[in-house]
Amino acid sequence: RCVATPASSSPAVAAVATDVPAKMKAWAYDEYGDTGVLKLDEAVSVPAVGDDQVLVRVAAAALNPVDSKRRMGKFKATDSPLPTVPGYDMAGVVVKVGSQVKSLKEGDEVYGHISEKVLEGPKQFGSLAEYTAVEEKLVALKPKNIDFAQAAGLPLAIETAHEGLERAGFSAGKSILVLGGAGGVGSLIIQLAKQVFGASKVAATASSPKLELLKSLGADVAIDYTKENFEDMPEKYDVVFDAVGQGDKAVKVVKEGGSVVVLTGAVTPPGFRFVVTSDGSVLAKLNPYLESGKVKPVVDPKGPFSFPQVVEAFSYLETGRATGKVVISPI
Ligand code: NDP
C-alpha cells in the first residue's frame, strides 16, 4: 500500500519537541527488603508531567541513607505505594515543562531533591531512572562549574546542612562541632558553617584516614573519634550538629543556651531533630558559593558508580563508611 504523507506530518516535522519515549530504564522494587529487592526494569512508564512540574532526563543521581531506610520499610506507614523507583537526588536536563512552569525551559540543566517531604508521600517514581518528574520549585539551575555527577550529590545533603544550621540559629562568629564530618551531610555542614554562615570555629569528628579531608573542607579542629572522646574534651560549642546519632553525647559539649541539632537516633534535651524539606530556592541561594568554589561537592572516590552498579553502590553506602556522596553516573 502506498500512503501519501502530507509534508506537515512527516516524521522530521513531527519530532520538533524533544523526543521522550513512553518507556525507560529504572531501578525499582516491589517489596521492602535489603538490596536484593532492587531490580533494573527496562520498561517502566516515563512519569507524566504535572502542571507545576518539569520532566528531567536524569544524567546522574545520588544515594542517601534515607533511600536504604525507606527500602527496608521503615517509613511504610507514610511511604508512596509499591512498586517504588527509589532516589531523591538528581541532576539532568529539562525535556518537558508543565503548563504552569514559569522559569524553566527545555534544555535547562538542573539539579534537585525531588520529594518535598522525604518521609511523607515521597515520589513513587524517583531519580534512579532515565526520567523523573519534579516540581519546578524543588529544583535550581545547575552551577555551571560542576558536572552532573558532582551536582547530583548535593541537593538533599546541602539542604539538610543549610536547614539544620538555620534551625539552630547558627550565625557569624559562633562555634560548631560537627559529628560525622566526612559523610554526605557532614562534609557540607563544615563548609556551609565556615563559608556561608561565618563560623568562628569549626570542629568535626571522623576516623583517622579522614582527618585531612575535614581540614581541607575548612575544619579548624579535626577530632579522631577512634582516639579521643569528644564528649570528654573541655571545649564547648555554640552549636553541635549530629549527623551520626550521638545525641546523648552531643548535649554534653554544647554551651549553656546553645543548640544541638540531631539528624538521626535518639534525641536528648535540649537537642532537637528535624526532617529536611526540599527547596530549590535554597540551592539557588547557595549556587554562588558553589560557582566561586567556596563550597565544593565531595564525591566518594569509590564512585561514581555506573547505572548497572546501583546495588553495589547501595551496599557500599550501607557500610556507613562513605566519604562525601555515593553518586550514580552516567544514567
Ligand atoms: P553517610 O552515609 O554519608 O555518612 C557516612 C560517614 O559517617 C562516614 O564518612 C563515616 O566516617 C561517618 N561516621 C560514621 N560513624 C561515625 C562516628 N561515630 N563518628 C564520626 N563519624 C562517623 O550519611 P549522611 O551524611 O548522608 O547522613 C547521616 C545521617 O543523617 C544518616 O542517618 C541519615 O539518614 C541522616 N539524615 C537525616 C536527614 C534528616 O532530614 N533528618 C537528612 C539527611 C540525612 P568514618 O568512616 O570516619 O567513620
Side-chain angles (χ1 to χ4, degrees):
R1 279 175 298 166
C2 177
V3 181
T5 312
S8 62
S9 65
S10 70
V13 176
V16 279
T18 313
D19 259 339
V20 178
K23 300 285 180 187
M24 64 177 183
K25 285 187 199 166
W27 283 91
Y29 52 89
D30 55 15
E31 59 178 324
Y32 292 114
D34 62 20
T35 54
V37 300
L38 286 160
K39 303 275 179 305
L40 181 55
D41 189 330
E42 308 262 335
V44 174
S45 294
V46 170
V49 192
D51 290 346
D52 60 344
Q53 292 184 327
V54 296
L55 185 70
V56 176
R57 173 69 183 90
V58 179
L63 308 186
N64 287 283
V66 67
D67 284 299
S68 301
K69 295 175 187 176
R70 181 185 180 199
R71 196 197 62 231
M72 296 303 294
K74 292 194 174 165
F75 312 120
K76 239 181 232 180
T78 54
D79 201 354
S80 51
L82 295 165
T84 300
V85 171
Y88 294 88
D89 276 332
M90 65 81 201
V93 180
V94 173
V95 292
K96 215 185 234 187
V97 297
S99 60
Q100 302 295 316
V101 169
K102 293 183 183 69
S103 61
L104 294 174
K105 58 182 189 315
E106 280 179 31
D108 282 345
E109 297 185 349
V110 295
Y111 73 130
H113 152 20
I114 64 160
S115 286
E116 185 165 18
K117 298 281 178 205
V118 181
L119 311 181
E120 296 145 45
K123 287 205 167 62
Q124 185 177 9
F125 296 96
S127 62
L128 288 170
E130 291 179 306
Y131 294 87
T132 199
V134 55
E135 289 73 16
E136 175 184 28
K137 67 176 182 177
L138 303 187
V139 303
L141 291 175
K142 178 181 79 64
K144 291 195 169 42
N145 60 316
I146 61 174
D147 62 24
F148 286 113
Q150 292 171 314
L154 288 166
L156 190 146
I158 207 168
E159 288 168 6
T160 302
H162 184 267
E163 187 173 340
L165 289 166
E166 289 220 311
R167 285 176 180 263
F170 199 68
S171 59
K174 290 189 177 179
S175 62
I176 186 169
L177 170 63
V178 183
L179 304 180
V185 183
S187 59
L188 288 160
I189 302 168
I190 293 172
Q191 295 186 79
L192 296 195
K194 195 85 182 194
Q195 301 294 343
V196 179
F197 287 77
S200 59
K201 182 171 189 176
V202 178
T205 61
S207 60
S208 320
K210 297 178 175 174
L211 301 179
E212 278 312 310
L213 171 72
L214 301 185
K215 291 278 178 90
S216 75
L217 296 173
D220 303 289
V221 182
I223 301 170
D224 184 343
Y225 73 77
T226 69
K227 302 206 171 107
E228 287 177 295
N229 295 325
F230 69 84
E231 69 275 19
D232 297 335
M233 296 166 78
E235 180 98 28
K236 302 274 186 277
Y237 301 87
D238 294 307
V239 169
V240 183
F241 199 144
D242 174 20
V244 174
Q246 300 176 312
D248 52 337
K249 294 176 182 166
V251 296
K252 295 185 178 159
V253 290
V254 70
K255 285 182 188 168
E256 188 77 35
S259 299
V260 176
V261 199
V262 170
L263 293 181
T264 185
V267 179
T268 305
F272 67 91
R273 193 158 86 184
F274 75 100
V275 179
V276 63
T277 300
S278 174
D279 183 353
S281 74
V282 170
L283 301 179
K285 173 186 146 181
L286 295 173
N287 272 354
Y289 295 93
L290 292 157
E291 279 165 353
S292 67
K294 284 189 171 160
V295 175
K296 295 186 179 67
V298 182
V299 174
D300 187 284
K302 284 224 168 36
F305 291 82
S306 69
F307 196 47
Q309 290 177 311
V310 160
V311 172
E312 201 178 319
F314 267 117
S315 299
Y316 176 58
L317 176 78
E318 290 166 23
T319 64
R321 298 276 85 81
T323 300
K325 294 300 304 182
V326 176
V327 171
I328 312 299
S329 176
I331 292 179

